[in-house]
Amino acid sequence: MRIDIISVLPELLESPFSHSILKRAQQKGLLEVHLHALRNFASGKHKQVDDYPFGGGAGMVMKVEPIAACFEHLQEERDYDEVIYTSPDGQLLDQALCNELSMKQNILILCGHYKGVDERIREKYITREVSIGDYVLSGGELAAAVIVDAVGRLIPGVLNDETSALFDSFQDSLLAPPVYTRPAEWRGMQVPDVLLSGHEKKIEEWRHDQSVQRTKDRRPDLYNKWVGEEGE
Ligand code: ADE
């Protein structure tokens, strides 16, 4: 998968993709992440990427021309399966959307900034607007990093043990069960006996029960969805 990210602050995104799983994914040739500085596509002495909103009001608006120039430059090289705009107005990112995006070959992400982008960009180029939660960030870069992380780890072959993504929280609409590692006893706190039993079937049942209970306690919204989907 190739992901191109357009940003007014690409420096913000240099670190998140240079470590751990996403770094390995790139080294294995499973993921390519390319950052593009929007300012490089702006013209004039000041390389201006924002301007005052028509009609007045606070804040600046991302200008049409630099974004169009950058999109058109990139689209000459390849077709994008999705052109995503990060915005609090967008579709909420969830595991289902991450799964869907992990199947794509080429994704282009425009990081929102300032008061937002000129509406004509949204109309002409954007295929999907994505929000990472009901709160407002100061820019779309951290949202883009979240999307790339959550999607990148789902690309087949990225995780060492491919099955591990299958058991993530949310992958079957339930939260993940508790996990433990050595020592088996710490300050009087014991790891549940079943996990030390070596009895695979019992362990699987325990984990499932814990997932259900945890989801019921912490996320009744997800629990009700799961009951509707699967029944108990
Ligand atoms: N830009 C600002 N806030 C955002 C959010 N919650 N999700 C995605 N992009 C954003």
Side-chain angles (χ1 to χ4, degrees):
M1 174 187 287
R2 175 182 167 120
I3 303 179
D4 289 271
I5 304 177
I6 304 170
S7 160
V8 291
L9 274 175
E11 303 79 16
L12 256 182
L13 287 168
E14 271 156 24
S15 172
F17 311 132
S18 313
H19 305 278
S20 185
I21 288 171
L22 291 187
K23 179 179 177 187
R24 250 200 341 264
Q26 291 171 89
Q27 286 170 339
K28 285 188 189 168
L30 298 169
L31 174 68
E32 276 182 49
V33 182
H34 297 265
L35 305 178
H36 306 277
L38 186 59
R39 216 166 287 282
N40 292 342
F41 295 85
S43 53
K45 203 168 85 188
H46 299 295
K47 302 265 175 204
Q48 195 179 345
V49 293
D50 59 333
D51 210 336
Y52 293 98
F54 278 127
M60 302 294 271
V61 176
M62 293 172 84
K63 283 170 72 62
V64 170
E65 300 97 320
I67 297 170
C70 185
F71 277 175
E72 283 162 18
H73 168 77
L74 292 171
Q75 282 169 334
E76 261 169 35
E77 296 295 320
R78 64 191 52 77
D79 290 330
Y80 288 91
D81 304 303
E82 291 282 358
V83 181
I84 294 174
Y85 172 56
T86 58
S87 158
D89 309 353
Q91 172 183 2
L92 271 182
L93 186 70
D94 62 8
Q95 198 63 33
L97 179 54
C98 293
N99 288 339
E100 190 184 336
L101 293 175
S102 74
M103 261 59 104
K104 312 280 181 187
Q105 281 305 307
N106 294 299
I107 295 178
L108 180 52
I109 303 179
L110 171 67
C111 300
H113 239 274
Y114 313 116
K115 196 87 198 137
V117 69
D118 189 303
E119 189 67 21
R120 291 166 291 186
I121 289 292
R122 296 165 90 157
E123 280 173 22
K124 187 162 169 63
Y125 300 101
I126 302 300
T127 61
R128 201 187 281 268
E129 305 198 358
V130 178
S131 166
I132 63 161
D134 287 337
Y135 42 80
V136 179
L137 300 165
S138 50
E141 285 72 17
L142 296 180
V146 167
I147 296 168
V148 174
D149 189 296
V151 171
R153 61 193 292 287
L154 296 176
I155 301 169
V158 167
L159 295 180
N160 282 339
D161 177 358
E162 267 206 52
T163 57
S164 67
L166 296 176
F167 298 111
D168 282 346
S169 279
F170 303 116
Q171 209 54 273
D172 53 7
S173 311
L174 292 174
L175 301 181
V179 292
Y180 300 86
T181 186
R182 288 185 293 181
E185 194 228 303
W186 176 75
R187 296 187 182 170
M189 299 169 84
Q190 302 282 347
V191 170
D193 285 340
V194 62
L195 295 179
L196 310 174
S197 69
H199 195 305
E200 272 185 40
K201 190 157 180 290
K202 281 199 175 137
I203 292 172
E204 206 178 298
E205 278 167 13
W206 180 86
R207 285 187 169 144
H208 179 73
D209 292 347
Q210 290 286 318
S211 277
V212 172
Q213 195 55 47
R214 185 162 271 204
T215 311
K216 196 171 176 179
D217 293 343
R218 298 183 184 196
R219 291 290 304 271
D221 56 323
L222 285 180
Y223 175 75
N224 289 332
K225 192 172 146 217
W226 176 77
V227 170
E229 278 167 12
E230 312 257 332
E232 249 193 300

